[in-house]
Amino acid sequence: MSKFKTLMKKREFRTLFFLVGIFIIVGLINSDFLTIGTIQNSLKSSLLYIVLAVGLTVVLLTGNIDISVGGTLGLSAAVSGILLKNGGSIFVSIVVAILIGAIIGLINGLGVTKLKISSFIMTLGMLEITRVIQVIYTDGQWVENLPAGFKQLSQLNVLGFNLLLIIVMAGVIIVHLFLTRSRKGRYFSAIGDNVDGAILLGVPVQRYVTLAGLIFASQVGFISTTAGLGIEMTVIAAAVLGGVSLSGGVGTVLGATIGAVIMISINSALIYMKIPAFWNDAISGVLLITIVVTDAILSRRADKQTKKERLRARVLQEEVSINHAHAK
Amino acid sequence: MLMLSKIPKWNLGLIFVLMLEIIIFGLINPRFWNISILLNSFNDFIGIAIIGFFVTLVMITGGIDISGGSIIGLTSVVIGILSQLIGLNIWISVILAIVAAGLCGLLNGILIAYGRVQAMVVTLGGLLLYSGIAIVLVGVSGVSAYEGISGFPGSFSNLAYGTVFGIPSSIILFIVLFIIAYVLLHFTKYGRYIFLTGINQHASDYAGINTKKVIASTYVLSGLSAGIAGTMLTSYLGSARADFGSEYLMSILTVVVLGGTLITGGKGGIIGTALASIIVGFLQVGMQMGGVSTQYIGLATGLLLIISVALLSISSSAKENMKKLLRPKFMKEGNV
């Protein structure tokens, strides 16, 4: 029982219950929603958001933010897509995509740490710049007709499971272990006020972002000029839903992953509940605000409670020592 | 000379940039020096400027408001539905729409000030929610999302195209809202409370300022200004669509930050925002006139944003370093 209580106290389990709740409620309305196929499908379509949310969590932990993910994603997807189309090998295009992401991440990191630009502003500017470069590079056209071999990458199955799904899940677990178990990983949440640490994070994070770019490209099969547009808001919302604090220091990769799955599940849940798709944004917005506000109120109450307990304990201690003195 | 020394250095820099811009663009295309063309171009960025004025207030309290763009879309759709589908008088629908925009701002403000949730998160939720409501309204009323609602009366389009004493009405609106924001921020008690709240909220609380009310009210103002911007844009473009203003986010923040307002709060001014909005607006107009494809304009604004913030932070850190050098050594040990 006590174990259950400590589990409940963890933010990500509350999120998980919420996710399960969505599935049960929608399942009651339309039982087709609860098939393995649907669940696997929503997991598969949230892969991209999971990867981005995990990357973003690392940045958020340090108290910074990265809203350039959409731009980086679009740019690296476009470049690698064009490489592939012109007969480049899959391996080379993957390396190039990751390199682009790493360079953009390094520029962001340097801007934030060396020039002391607020990370929000820095990455907002970068978002715009990368988007323009992408448009110039692709000449405003869609990158279509990617080789079949690349598209198959997202359809490959190993032991009945989707290969990308396995890779992403393994990645999530590795990052989670890195952040919670290793000394360097724990630095991320400790950084908070140590600005120089941020330079560390720019690079690795963008690697995840570019990984996401590849997943995106291979899933959709074509890259439009608006690829990745508006994605940043969804990803931030996903991380926040998963309990990652925007002021840094609080949150886990697992929570962000669940948050990403929730954001995508809402879309498919709406379809199964026969609600028109134009409700999507309004419902996500309501959910985001409700969850964040209740969470803030809950955590403040918990804070007050612990403070009260601490005060009580101190008063008791003083009484004990006074009694002690009297006894003497 | 006395006048010059009274203007803050940052604003002086902005004026210099603005002059430079006008000269350069004029040399590239002499049409840029045509006053009536320049004045009419205000319609293209009036929304950014109006919202920028009041987001400046929000940012000085230490918050941020990124929901302005989606409130524009919501206002536009509400005006369209009320006046064209329900058949209300156009001006009543405009007022109702602006009230709705104010309510959106009020929701932001209450959640941020009284719920004590981060401004960034709340307005992000608001961004999704308000544009979501706009999309739902369009979807429920069965209007084509692409074409939008059109067919507004001529008196309404006069709002953007009309002139008062020969001056385009968009400029009048720009000046009126500039004066309101300027007086509010720099000449009233309320304005001083805004600054104090941004500098140190706890201290202002203890000093007897109702900081929660101050913070919440800035978001209401910013929401109302987005409503006015939405009305202007609807009048200018002659149709109501849910996705109006969705690309304004970047420009609004650029204008406020380029104007010298600190994103961490406590410092800033309306004059800077006004100058910066004209700079950004003329930049877009000038580049279009110079034959630069519209796609490159984002690149210029993005670079402008980063460079201006870098300059601001470098100049302030350089000042601090000078202070440290001039101060006695023991201060440093105290910090460690």
Side-chain angles (χ1 to χ4, degrees), chain A residues 115-118 120-121 124 128-129 132 135-136 233 236 240 246-247 278-279 281-282 286 288-289 292-293 300, chain B residues 64 111 115-118 120-121 124-125 128-129 132 135-136 139 250 253 257 263 295-296 298-299 309 313:
Chain A
L115 295 179
K116 299 209 170 63
I117 301 173
S118 127
F120 180 75
I121 298 293
L124 181 68
E128 199 70 8
I129 292 172
V132 174
V135 171
I136 296 170
M233 295 307 163
I236 295 172
V240 173
L246 284 190
S247 50
F278 56 70
W279 282 91
D281 278 2
V286 171
L288 181 65
I289 292 180
V292 170
V293 171
R300 208 177 313 136
Chain B
I64 196 166
L111 291 179
R116 272 185 277 170
V117 188
Q118 288 151 323
M120 172 78 198
V121 185
L124 171 68
L128 288 173
L129 178 63
I135 295 170
V136 168
M250 165 94 180
L253 292 177
V257 171
I263 197 164
Q295 291 154 359
Y296 290 81
L299 189 68
V309 182
S313 70

Side-chain angles (χ1 to χ4, degrees), chain A residues 276 278-279, chain B residues 73-81 85 130-149 239-244:
Chain A
F278 56 70
W279 282 91
Chain B
L74 182 60
T75 326
S76 175
V77 168
V78 169
I79 292 177
I81 287 180
L85 297 185
Y130 307 142
S131 66
I133 293 175
I135 295 170
V136 168
L137 286 178
V138 168
V140 170
S141 65
V143 185
S144 147
Y146 187 69
E147 286 166 13
I149 307 167
S239 73
R241 269 171 58 175
D243 60 345
F244 279 170

Side-chain angles (χ1 to χ4, degrees), chain A residues 22-73:
Chain A
I22 291 182
F23 269 86
I24 289 176
I25 291 171
V26 180
L28 285 177
I29 294 169
N30 186 343
S31 56
D32 290 343
F33 189 64
L34 283 183
T35 56
I36 302 279
T38 333
I39 295 172
Q40 216 188 358
N41 257 341
S42 13
L43 262 182
K44 223 173 109 184
S45 46
S46 49
L47 279 185
L48 162 71
Y49 293 89
I50 292 177
V51 174
L52 289 173
V54 166
L56 186 68
T57 305
V58 182
V59 182
L60 289 177
L61 279 179
T62 67
N64 285 293
I65 197 166
D66 189 344
I67 52 172
S68 68
V69 284
T72 314
L73 176 74

